[in-house]
Amino acid sequence: MKKLILPLLLAAVFLSCKKEKTAARVKPLTVLQAKMQGTWNFESVTTVFRDTAENVIGGATYPNPAGSYYQFKTDGTWGSKFVADTSLGLENRGFYSTVADTAFYLSDTGKFAYSEKCKIYTLTANQFIFSHSRHKTINGTTPVTMEYIFKLTK
């Protein structure tokens, strides 16, 4: 009888422990993320070139073809397509995170593999304008900052 008490006691302790179910917790969206959600169609992309003194030295505005878009999802992922012809493979995707009410980071996990801070100029229910900059050289020697300004609409 004494030999049965120890195994029964261990069994009672083991069975009385409850397993807690851990549901996947989803971080609530920030106000900015909620505004960014959805598919935004490209209206135009403007490029601005600045020299090292921040003087504008060139640029242009390009309308985008039908079917070009950015899409921001509730799970923190984004995707974009710049041309209607998918055979060109100009689709980007990755993760995004907000920094403040006027900025967010885009991290591309596709073939371009970058992470850039983006500045928000306008974000309403129907219009989203943001930019990001990259350092480049033109003519092989002249350092410039190239700013891309994306104008999107719903």
Side-chain angles (χ1 to χ4, degrees), residues 40-58:
W40 295 87
N41 301 306
F42 275 98
E43 190 171 306
S44 64
V45 175
T46 300
T47 56
V48 178
F49 293 92
R50 291 186 175 86
D51 63 16
T52 55
E54 293 296 315
N55 298 312
V56 174
I57 58 173

Side-chain angles (χ1 to χ4, degrees), residues 16-31:
S16 67
C17 294
K18 291 182 182 178
K19 273 191 176 180
E20 290 187 28
K21 293 181 181 178
T22 54
R25 293 196 177 196
V26 176
K27 187 176 178 183
L29 296 177
T30 65
V31 172

Side-chain angles (χ1 to χ4, degrees), residues 1-151:
M1 182 74 168
K2 287 184 183 181
K3 290 183 183 181
L4 288 176
I5 293 176
L6 183 58
L8 288 174
L9 183 60
L10 289 175
V13 169
F14 179 73
L15 292 174
S16 67
C17 294
K18 291 182 182 178
K19 273 191 176 180
E20 290 187 28
K21 293 181 181 178
T22 54
R25 293 196 177 196
V26 176
K27 187 176 178 183
L29 296 177
T30 65
V31 172
L32 181 59
Q33 287 171 321
K35 285 183 178 180
M36 291 170 63
Q37 295 306 297
T39 300
W40 295 87
N41 301 306
F42 275 98
E43 190 171 306
S44 64
V45 175
T46 300
T47 56
V48 178
F49 293 92
R50 291 186 175 86
D51 63 16
T52 55
E54 293 296 315
N55 298 312
V56 174
I57 58 173
T61 299
Y62 305 95
N64 283 306
S68 298
Y69 65 86
Y70 261 98
Q71 184 177 54
F72 295 92
K73 299 180 182 179
T74 58
D75 64 359
T77 61
W78 65 276
S80 67
K81 184 171 79 168
F82 292 105
V83 293
D85 184 359
T86 57
S87 67
L88 296 175
L90 295 177
E91 295 184 23
N92 295 0
R93 65 190 170 283
F95 298 95
Y96 72 97
S97 61
T98 56
V99 180
D101 289 341
T102 58
F104 65 100
Y105 278 96
L106 280 182
S107 297
D108 187 309
T109 57
K111 65 182 176 181
F112 299 108
Y114 62 82
S115 183
E116 295 177 321
K117 187 173 183 180
C118 300
K119 179 179 179 181
I120 297 172
Y121 293 102
T122 303
L123 180 54
T124 66
N126 298 313
Q127 187 175 57
F128 187 8
I129 301 173
F130 70 92
S131 72
H132 63 78
S133 299
R134 294 184 181 160
H135 298 287
K136 302 228 178 223
T137 56
I138 54 175
N139 301 325
T141 58
T142 307
V144 297
T145 300
M146 183 176 180
E147 180 180 19
Y148 296 88
I149 304 169
F150 299 93
K151 186 174 185 182

